[in-house]
Amino acid sequence: MHIKLKTICILFLGLLFLSCHSQRDIWNTYEQGGYHVSYTLLDQHNIKEYETYFTKGKRRVEAFFQSPFKDHFYINIHPSRVSLDSTWQQDWGMPDFKSQCWMVASGTAAKLDIISPKQWDSLACEHSYSNPIHTQRLITHELVHVFHGQRNVSPDFSDLTGMDWFVEGLATYASGQCDATRVSEVKNALLRNEIPDTLSTFWSGKLRYGLSGTVVMYLDARFGREKLSSLLRYNNLKDLLHALEVTESELLRDWRDYINAL
Ligand SMILES: [Zn+2]
């Protein structure tokens, strides 16, 4: 009798676990002007709140480029890091890929994948949902990637040469992440002469957002928004520099002068 009761309890708990687990994995989808959002039951009470971030982000991106998104896209809100990793493993053909703790989202022409923002405090480092300005900027950053991918010859950014600084710098700058703190960090690094020699190394190290973002900020100030927008199609540094009619060393020299004068 005692053993039977134990078995029934274990069975019951097992079924309960399975039902909770499978409920978490049931995806719902809704359409919102220009994009579909998919989320699991875990987020059914958060989705309205998240939607305000998506709507504001999309509006900001379109205002920045003074142009609408070209194509429809998907936003997938993952309930866990395992769920996001399995998507990235599939998308990137890397079955053993495990994301680092600061990675919470990605964006390409067709879709934006993101860990449910309310899970960031427990599942990620460097990001906290409790800071609405940072949350908005991060979501906008990913939407800039979507917008950029829809205009790039490599829509999923898999075929880029020397362009990481531009892809990430554009998303950092256009989303508002290149704020006064980041600019002053770059100014200080410049004073200490701690700036990488080539653009290809700007998207590396602790200052990667500030370094890459301020180069795009400089391009915007020097060449204007229309010219900056025209660069979205290029997937290699040579073509981008050719379009600007500058060499890499001229661009870096002028960027330094621009930052020093800020
Ligand atoms: Zn990015």
Side-chain angles (χ1 to χ4, degrees), residues 141-142 145 167-168 171 203 209:
H141 174 119
E142 300 307 329
H145 287 325
V167 173
E168 294 302 340
W203 183 248
Y209 286 95

Side-chain angles (χ1 to χ4, degrees), residues 132-199:
I133 293 174
H134 286 187
T135 298
Q136 181 66 66
R137 287 174 178 169
L138 193 150
I139 288 170
T140 308
H141 174 119
E142 300 307 329
L143 286 166
V144 174
H145 287 325
V146 175
F147 187 95
H148 189 177
Q150 292 185 358
R151 281 160 172 77
N152 196 269
V153 296
S154 176
D156 62 357
F157 303 119
S158 60
D159 181 22
L160 297 181
T161 306
M163 292 288 282
D164 288 358
W165 68 272
F166 184 71
V167 173
E168 294 302 340
L170 183 73
T172 301
Y173 173 58
S175 66
Q177 287 177 316
C178 202
D179 56 12
T181 310
R182 288 217 159 101
V183 172
S184 74
E185 283 169 358
V186 173
K187 267 177 96 86
N188 290 335
L190 204 52
L191 284 174
R192 294 193 305 270
N193 216 12
E194 290 174 0
I195 300 293
D197 294 332
T198 59
L199 283 168

Side-chain angles (χ1 to χ4, degrees), residues 1 9-10 23 25 38 45 56 79 104-105 115 125-126 129 132 153-154 190 197 199 230 238:
M1 185 67 182
C9 279
I10 289 168
Q23 279 209 343
D25 290 344
S38 293
H45 301 300
K56 271 192 198 164
V104 292
I115 292 180
C125 57
E126 295 183 26
Y129 183 68
V153 296
S154 176
L190 204 52
D197 294 332
L199 283 168
S230 77
K238 208 173 126 232

